[in-house]
Amino acid sequence: MDGKRIGYFIKEKRIELGFTVEQFAAEVGVTRFLAEDWENGTIPETQHLLPIANVLKCEVEDLLKGSEPPTPPQPQEKAEEQEERQLSEVLPQQKDPQKEEKSYYEELNEKIKDLPTTTQASGENGFSAADRKFGYILLAIFVAILLVLFVATWGAYLTRERNLTVENYREYLTIKVLSTRNVNPDTYEVRVTAKNRKIYDLDMEVGVTFRLYGTSLDGNGVVHTVTFDDADLVEGETVSKVIHLSIMGFECGYEVINISGGLD
Amino acid sequence: MDDKKRNKIFLLFLILAEGLGIVCNIFNEAYIFIPLSLAASCMGIVIIYFAYGLAKGHNRTHAFWHERDNNGGEPSDWSISRYKIRGWALYIMALLMAFVPNFNII
């Protein structure tokens, strides 16, 4: 809130309505000196705002907003402006009905509308030079990684193991010995499953050790040998052989005695 | 060489790289990644190419609900870049899907 702006607004409106300072002060209900103080830049008290607005026939909002006091005129324009001002004080002001109706926000909106706007397109669809540069680098890295992987994969394929031996069979085969009966087990199954490679012409001899019921614990147990001949297995495929014991017994481990076969 | 021709060649390279990725997936029998990779790369390329249009469209829809700026709906460089980054992220994800089976990540 600017006291000078408010003061100028009060003075302007008072002259516009044809009031003297005394008349204006009397209408508002204050002394002439207080009215002069307001015109000279003192901000009116809150209780006086509504009476002033009523007398000046304006909104309190407009009163508080005030109006711009004129800048001191340049020497060459001084006489001309003084004349104009005198004329304006004497002659009744022509009121612009449109201007009076407009609120502060409407005026603000009009100002925003008048701001310069960008109408030219700031870009266009398509790949930019930076896109292409980044893309080519990315694609080069991608192809390089693919090549490395390709070489590594083919290198591993060409140098792969091709025969099963007693030393390497664990990598390619899973052997399990399971009883087919949970109570009084006397029948066992030996299952051989190919893990991750195709195996052909598998010949294998597996010795399974059992401790038979009634034999002493410090003995060596009984060894049953199972033989697989010319078995062909794909990944995940299983072949099995069954062992029948004469009496109930417990499996104590197995050993691959002999193995041969081709790896795909 | 004009920009249109450069764009066409670049687009061809992008498609070729994606094709290599799919071949890699086929060799690794990772068929589940093929549609995912294709979808991601297509979306990525479209977003990168039409980043300006998408950013402008976003500005328009934003102006529909919010106060308009005095920029005439033109997107800023930053808003275009955001779409480009999203597009590239999708495309890179599509390329990475070619490597996933090789490294036994899943």
Side-chain angles (χ1 to χ4, degrees), chain A residues 96-196:
Chain A
D96 186 358
Q98 271 192 336
K99 203 169 185 179
E100 275 189 1
E101 283 170 13
K102 280 177 189 170
S103 71
Y104 169 72
Y105 297 105
E106 282 169 343
E107 280 175 17
L108 197 66
N109 270 329
E110 275 184 5
K111 278 181 192 171
I112 291 170
K113 272 180 199 169
D114 293 339
L115 283 171
T117 55
T118 312
T119 48
Q120 274 194 331
S122 62
E124 58 178 13
N125 288 327
F127 299 113
S128 65
D131 279 337
R132 287 194 291 266
K133 200 172 179 181
F134 175 73
Y136 283 129
I137 293 168
L138 181 77
L139 299 189
I141 293 169
F142 175 70
V143 172
I145 294 172
L146 272 189
L147 273 174
V148 169
L149 285 174
F150 182 78
V151 169
T153 309
W154 276 95
Y157 180 75
L158 292 172
T159 57
R160 72 192 189 281
E161 283 185 289
R162 300 184 188 206
N163 289 310
L164 277 174
T165 61
V166 177
E167 287 78 29
N168 71 7
Y169 77 89
R170 283 186 182 84
E171 287 179 38
Y172 309 106
L173 290 174
T174 308
I175 301 170
K176 281 182 183 170
V177 182
L178 304 163
S179 69
T180 53
R181 291 174 63 187
N182 290 329
V183 183
N184 299 337
D186 60 355
T187 309
Y188 283 84
E189 195 177 28
V190 180
R191 288 182 188 170
V192 178
T193 308
K195 275 184 184 171
N196 46 14

Side-chain angles (χ1 to χ4, degrees), chain A residues 165-166 169 175 203-209 223-227 254-260:
Chain A
T165 61
V166 177
Y169 77 89
I175 301 170
D203 294 324
M204 187 165 68
E205 210 175 332
V206 183
V208 187
T209 309
V223 178
H224 281 259
T225 307
V226 181
T227 310
Y254 66 87
E255 187 189 10
V256 174
I257 301 161
N258 208 340
I259 188 166
S260 70

